[in-house]
Amino acid sequence: MGQMDSLKSFLWRALPVLLLFVVVAPAAKAQTAGTWVRRGQNAEARGDYDAAFEDYKHAYEKHPKNLADKTHYERVRFQAAAQHVDQGRKLRAMGDPAAALTEYMRALEIDPSNQAAQQEIEETRKQQMALPAPGSGSPQGEQMSQQDQTLRDIGSMSGPVELKPLSNDPITLHMVEDAKVIYQAIGKAAGLNVLFDPDFTSKRIPVDLTGVSLDDALRIVGAIAGTFWKPVTANTIFVAQNTRTKRTDLDNLAVQTFYLTNAAQQNDANEVTTALRNLLDPSVKVYLVPSQNAIVMRATTDQLLLAEKLINDLDRTRPEVVVDVAVLEVSKDKMRQLGITLPQTFGIGLQTLATAAANSTATTGSTTSTTTTTTNTGTNLSLNDLGNLNARNFAVTVGNATANLLLNDTDTRVLQNPRIRATDGQRATLKIGSKIPVATGSYSAGTAATTVSLGVQTQFQYLDVGVNIDMTPTVHYDREISLKMKIEVSTQSGSTTISGVTEPIISQRVIEQEVQLREGEPSILAGLLEHQDNKAIAGMPGLGEIPLLKYLFSSDTKETEQDEIVFLLIPHIVREQVLSPLNTRAVDTGTNQEIELRRDPLPPPSADDVAGRNPEDGAIAGQASSGINPPLPSPNKHMTASAAANVAVASMEQHPAGGMNASDAASMAVAQMQQQTAQDSAPPLALNVMPPVSTQAVGSTFQMAIMAANARDVFSVPMQVQFDPKVLNLVNVDAGEMMGRDGQAVAVVHRDDGAGLVTITASRPPNVAGVSGQGVICTLTFKAIASGDAQVTLGKVGAKNSAQANIPTVGSQSVVHVK
């Protein structure tokens, strides 16, 4: 019994705990899912979409049937994947493809349907030259194999032939000889082979050249002899008679696609295409692809180069203008009433004695009774009534008197201050207000035996009432701004009834004009003033006109109404069209019959170029691709002298050279090793912001250059530029002269990451050598928007050479004082 009692006592004590667990357990489970949701919302507010995705995922797994949790999960999954894709693109632009690939894989893990991540993965792997073998027999593997084959076929197509003479020394030639002999002499001086057209007709010409380049020498001889030449191979030229037929038959044509980066609408691309067709030869094939914003051309190399120059000049970023519009309307209404309005009416009437007695009885009767009396004056009078007239027979009517002492003063101010941003030459509209229906007509549907009458049908249209602004800006090269504007301020001032239909009365102020202003120059449009003075006097004639006494016998009313409206326009250029001397300079395009460009001679290669060039690289690469012998490792600084000698001996055994023994090969290998060591011990690539200190005024636009020093075989330069967005605004990024000093096209890509952080990458075309020496990588155009001190810092700088190897790089910073 004692044990049973103790068991019962324990159960009674445990029962509340069990009940509490049963009730609270489901709530605790639901609270756990809610906790995950709240954590996800906090992470999403911080912009940490990766953590938000994990939190929403836990909440969704807790309640798979909860539509709210599923919505959170699906929505954030896309944002989290996109965040990893963006981060991967930044890392790849900074030269870290391995980390970029990790980000892309994470994005694909979060959202398997993300095609952008899949494309970036394939592109990154192709750049690393480490594409995995396609799966055998799988459709996806076959498709990737076909794509790879297509890319290899496209990459195997060669570009136009470029002449590469063995010598670029200036040519001096004084002779009177046959044209063929002169061409052959010039070819021997430059190390070129010269071939002649079978129809070539040679003649004796005088030539007197002193210290001219190869290109100028060939052009001068061709002008004298009436001939032209074209490169057949890198060291061979073909000479023919300069006739239209021969030009058409022998000129090599190339196809190139130009992508427009600033064509916002179809008309922009059409203008560029029209310019190319009008300036180039009519036989040039120019085709616009609107869906890709691209222009495809088939022309000679000189025509393509000229087209590239024209597209670079015309396809520019359009300026943008912000116009501050202030509309101020002041309406005043002041009214004053002063005086006494005496009775304006006075009447006397006759009535019979009976009527007078009845009126007297009704007047002196009980106040609780209601008596209706009809007074007939001047009628039904008997002779007895006329003989006994007294005061009761007369009824006197006197109007009301009013004392006026009133002052009304109304002052109304209406202010609209909108800001409109528009692109150069593009129309922008702004409407602030409401739409009011206005009847424009009516018609009757009529009746018929088989139809039902619909009655009168009224048609309406809606009028925009409020502030309506229509603006088209034009930004000129000298920073002047032309504004073609129409400003309308309208209100509903009343209504009127026309043919039984109540129509609104619209009062409006409209200004339509075209002005030209400087940036920041205000334009005030005032003078739209409406003034009304109303004066009214009501009182007794004569007495109401006596000074001072007139206020006792009359009422004086004065009302003054004023309505004035003022427009203020202030334009600001927020994006400029930066034009450099390269865009405005004139270029020589040859004669009227044929476009033929002249190239300036390239600067001689520097010592770093000569030291960094290995003439055996091309031969070794060709042997490796042909499968003759696998390439041997080249000596480097990590090899000892004996190891370098062994490599050199092995190379000599594979490629025996006459007169070279093992000792000579070892000496050559050691010399190469020492040369490589000297290159590795050279100072790193230095990127400097020039000028280091700058003082600018608020509203001014200035440029800062990114200078490179100690450059050796630089192929691409990725960097990040950090500045204060509250003080400076980045307008544009242009390519410098260094990366394209040999005539190669340079790609400069910049991306605004927000908060004053911009990622910039300058790179040369594939399969070309890098540049060496020093010069300007790119030019940054800033606009000072507020006073203060701002630092322009180069962070996370890097560089790669033509072999895609990293180059040690250091950055710097600059200070801009804005006053």
Side-chain angles (χ1 to χ4, degrees):
M1 289 297 294
Q3 294 180 355
M4 292 296 295
D5 294 339
S6 61
L7 180 60
K8 290 180 180 180
S9 177
F10 173 75
L11 291 176
W12 279 109
R13 290 194 302 268
L15 183 59
V17 179
L18 294 175
L19 293 175
L20 181 63
F21 177 78
V22 172
V23 174
V24 175
K29 182 178 180 181
Q31 182 66 24
T32 302
T35 302
W36 287 117
V37 170
R38 286 192 296 271
R39 291 182 57 179
Q41 291 174 347
N42 294 333
E44 187 178 1
R46 297 192 306 269
D48 190 358
Y49 295 108
D50 205 1
F53 167 74
E54 295 294 337
D55 296 334
Y56 288 140
K57 181 179 179 181
H58 288 303
Y60 175 64
E61 291 174 350
K62 292 288 184 181
H63 293 287
K65 296 182 179 180
N66 192 316
L67 295 180
D69 295 344
K70 184 178 181 181
T71 302
H72 289 311
Y73 171 68
E74 295 292 343
R75 176 175 52 81
V76 176
R77 179 170 64 175
F78 171 78
Q79 295 175 337
Q83 189 179 48
H84 282 284
V85 172
D86 292 340
Q87 184 65 23
R89 289 170 178 167
K90 295 178 183 179
L91 292 173
R92 191 175 68 179
M94 294 171 57
D96 194 352
L101 193 60
T102 302
E103 294 291 336
Y104 297 145
M105 294 297 292
R106 174 57 179 163
L108 203 60
E109 178 184 356
I110 294 175
D111 187 3
S113 64
N114 194 312
Q115 294 294 327
Q118 183 66 37
Q119 293 173 358
E120 295 292 347
I121 290 174
E122 295 176 2
E123 184 67 22
T124 304
R125 287 176 175 174
K126 290 176 184 178
Q127 290 183 359
Q128 290 182 320
M129 301 300 293
L131 285 174
S136 59
S138 64
Q140 183 179 4
E142 294 178 0
Q143 182 179 4
M144 292 179 62
S145 177
Q146 294 176 359
Q147 294 176 353
D148 297 342
Q149 182 62 35
T150 302
L151 293 177
R152 284 194 294 269
D153 294 341
I154 295 175
S156 64
M157 293 189 298
S158 301
V161 178
E162 294 184 6
L163 193 63
K164 297 180 180 179
L166 296 180
S167 174
N168 285 318
D169 295 336
I171 296 176
T172 300
L173 189 63
H174 306 281
M175 60 190 308
V176 179
E177 197 48 80
D178 191 80
K180 285 187 176 181
V181 177
I182 295 176
Y183 269 115
Q184 290 173 350
I186 295 175
K188 289 182 180 180
L192 299 177
N193 302 318
V194 183
L195 303 179
F196 296 93
D197 183 68
D199 300 332
F200 179 78
T201 301
S202 181
K203 61 181 179 180
R204 190 179 181 86
I205 59 173
V207 175
D208 191 1
L209 304 177
T210 302
V212 298
S213 64
L214 172 63
D215 185 72
D216 290 340
L218 292 175
R219 184 172 56 84
I220 293 172
V221 173
I224 297 175
T227 59
F228 76 97
W229 62 275
K230 53 169 286 188
V232 180
T233 64
N235 62 345
T236 304
I237 62 174
F238 185 83
V239 182
Q241 209 71 29
N242 190 9
T243 63
R244 187 68 177 177
T245 303
K246 284 296 181 181
R247 285 277 192 179
T248 305
D249 294 340
L250 297 179
D251 273 344
N252 290 332
L253 302 181
V255 176
Q256 188 172 356
T257 303
F258 302 96
Y259 289 92
L260 305 178
T261 58
N262 298 288
Q265 54 186 353
Q266 181 70 30
N267 189 38
D268 299 339
N270 290 337
E271 289 179 352
V272 177
T273 307
T274 302
L276 294 177
R277 288 173 177 168
N278 291 335
L279 292 175
L280 299 180
D281 191 88
S283 61
V284 175
K285 305 296 184 182
V286 182
Y287 182 73
L288 173 64
V289 185
S291 61
Q292 301 294 327
N293 265 351
I295 297 177
V296 182
M297 292 186 57
R298 186 173 186 263
T300 64
T301 55
D302 285 348
Q303 290 171 341
L304 291 177
L305 183 57
L306 179 59
E308 185 176 3
K309 195 265 180 189
L310 293 175
I311 291 175
N312 182 59
D313 295 340
L314 300 177
D315 185 27
R316 310 295 295 177
T317 303
R318 284 197 170 191
E320 293 186 7
V321 179
V322 169
V323 179
D324 291 331
V325 182
V327 181
L328 178 62
E329 183 177 3
V330 179
S331 178
K332 295 182 178 181
D333 187 358
K334 185 176 182 181
M335 183 179 65
R336 187 195 65 180
Q337 286 184 343
L338 183 61
I340 298 176
T341 303
L342 297 177
Q344 303 294 319
T345 60
F346 182 81
I348 300 176
L350 292 176
Q351 59 185 352
T352 63
L353 294 176
T355 304
N359 290 338
S360 176
T361 305
T363 304
T364 59
S366 175
T367 57
T368 59
S369 64
T370 302
T371 303
T372 302
T373 303
T374 302
T375 303
N376 296 321
T377 61
T379 60
N380 299 326
L381 293 176
S382 62
L383 294 176
N384 185 40
D385 293 331
L386 293 176
N388 298 282
L389 289 177
N390 55 28
R392 293 183 179 182
N393 294 104
F394 294 92
V396 180
T397 304
V398 180
N400 297 327
T402 305
N404 298 317
L405 186 61
L406 178 64
L407 176 64
N408 290 332
D409 191 353
T410 304
D411 191 353
T412 304
R413 294 176 180 266
V414 179
L415 176 63
Q416 297 283 352
N417 189 18
R419 303 187 67 187
I420 309 176
R421 180 165 180 165
T423 306
D424 177 35
Q426 302 299 316
R427 178 185 176 189
T429 59
L430 175 65
K431 296 181 179 180
I432 303 175
S434 57
K435 288 181 175 289
I436 297 179
V438 177
T440 59
S442 62
Y443 67 94
S444 178
T447 59
T450 58
T451 60
V452 179
S453 175
L454 300 178
V456 177
Q457 304 296 320
T458 304
Q459 297 175 342
F460 292 89
Q461 72 176 11
Y462 288 85
L463 300 180
D464 294 316
V465 176
V467 178
N468 302 322
I469 301 175
D470 193 331
M471 177 186 70
T472 303
T474 301
V475 181
H476 303 284
Y477 184 66
D478 57 355
R479 298 179 61 85
E480 295 275 341
I481 303 171
S482 294
L483 292 177
K484 184 178 181 181
M485 300 192 66
K486 179 181 179 181
I487 304 178
E488 176 182 348
V489 179
S490 57
T491 58
Q492 182 179 359
S493 58
S495 60
T496 183
T497 302
I498 304 175
S499 298
V501 180
T502 302
E503 299 282 4
I505 299 176
I506 307 299
S507 62
Q508 59 181 2
R509 305 288 191 274
V510 180
I511 291 180
E512 187 172 359
Q513 64 175 3
E514 184 172 356
V515 295
Q516 184 167 344
L517 305 171
R518 295 188 302 272
E519 182 189 10
E521 178 184 0
S523 175
I524 300 178
L525 308 176
L528 299 179
L529 178 64
E530 181 180 354
H531 185 89
Q532 292 184 3
D533 287 334
N534 300 322
K535 184 176 182 180
I537 299 176
M540 297 182 63
L543 295 178
E545 299 176 0
I546 300 175
L548 299 180
L549 295 178
K550 64 180 180 180
Y551 296 109
L552 299 177
F553 301 98
S554 64
S555 177
D556 188 1
T557 303
K558 289 184 179 180
E559 184 177 5
T560 302
E561 295 182 5
Q562 289 185 356
D563 192 2
E564 182 180 7
I565 187 168
V566 178
F567 297 94
L568 177 63
L569 307 177
I570 305 177
H572 303 281
I573 299 177
V574 294
R575 184 188 295 275
E576 299 183 26
Q577 184 181 26
V578 181
L579 299 177
S580 64
L582 188 65
N583 301 118
T584 57
R585 71 186 183 102
V587 294
D588 185 5
T589 59
T591 64
N592 192 31
Q593 299 294 328
E594 186 67 27
I595 291 180
E596 185 176 0
L597 303 180
R598 290 190 303 109
R599 273 93 167 172
D600 293 333
L602 299 178
S606 61
D608 293 335
D609 289 333
V610 176
R613 185 183 304 155
N614 187 1
E616 297 179 355
D617 290 343
I620 295 175
Q623 294 168 1
S625 60
S626 62
I628 298 176
N629 285 312
L632 294 172
S634 59
N636 54 66
K637 65 178 182 179
H638 300 292
M639 288 186 178
T640 61
S642 59
N646 294 333
V647 171
V649 172
S651 176
M652 183 187 68
E653 292 175 353
Q654 288 188 2
H655 311 284
M660 180 179 292
N661 52 27
S663 176
D664 295 335
S667 300
M668 182 183 67
V670 172
Q672 292 179 358
M673 180 192 67
Q674 293 175 351
Q675 181 180 3
Q676 182 68 28
T677 303
Q679 293 179 4
D680 294 336
S681 61
L685 173 65
L687 300 180
N688 301 316
V689 183
M690 302 301 292
V693 179
S694 177
T695 302
Q696 303 293 334
V698 176
S700 63
T701 302
F702 61 96
Q703 292 183 338
M704 304 188 76
I706 307 299
M707 297 285 296
N710 307 322
R712 299 178 305 279
D713 190 25
V714 175
F715 179 81
S716 62
V717 181
M719 71 187 82
Q720 283 188 342
V721 180
Q722 181 72 51
F723 59 91
D724 189 355
K726 298 179 181 178
V727 180
L728 302 179
N729 180 30
L730 182 62
V731 178
N732 200 4
V733 178
D734 295 318
E737 52 82 22
M738 178 179 177
M739 299 293 287
R741 61 176 46 165
D742 57 350
Q744 296 290 342
V746 180
V748 177
V749 181
H750 71 280
R751 182 179 67 252
D752 190 354
D753 297 329
L757 183 63
V758 178
T759 301
I760 304 174
T761 302
S763 58
R764 290 167 58 80
N767 303 323
V768 299
V771 295
S772 301
Q774 62 182 4
V776 179
I777 298 293
C778 60
T779 302
L780 310 179
T781 302
F782 289 99
K783 182 175 182 180
I785 59 177
S787 59
D789 295 339
Q791 287 188 349
V792 180
T793 306
L794 296 180
K796 295 184 180 181
V797 296
K800 287 189 175 183
N801 56 20
S802 57
Q804 300 302 312
N806 293 328
I807 300 176
T809 309
V810 294
S812 66
Q813 65 182 10
S814 176
V815 179
V816 180
H817 304 286
V818 180
K819 299 181 179 179

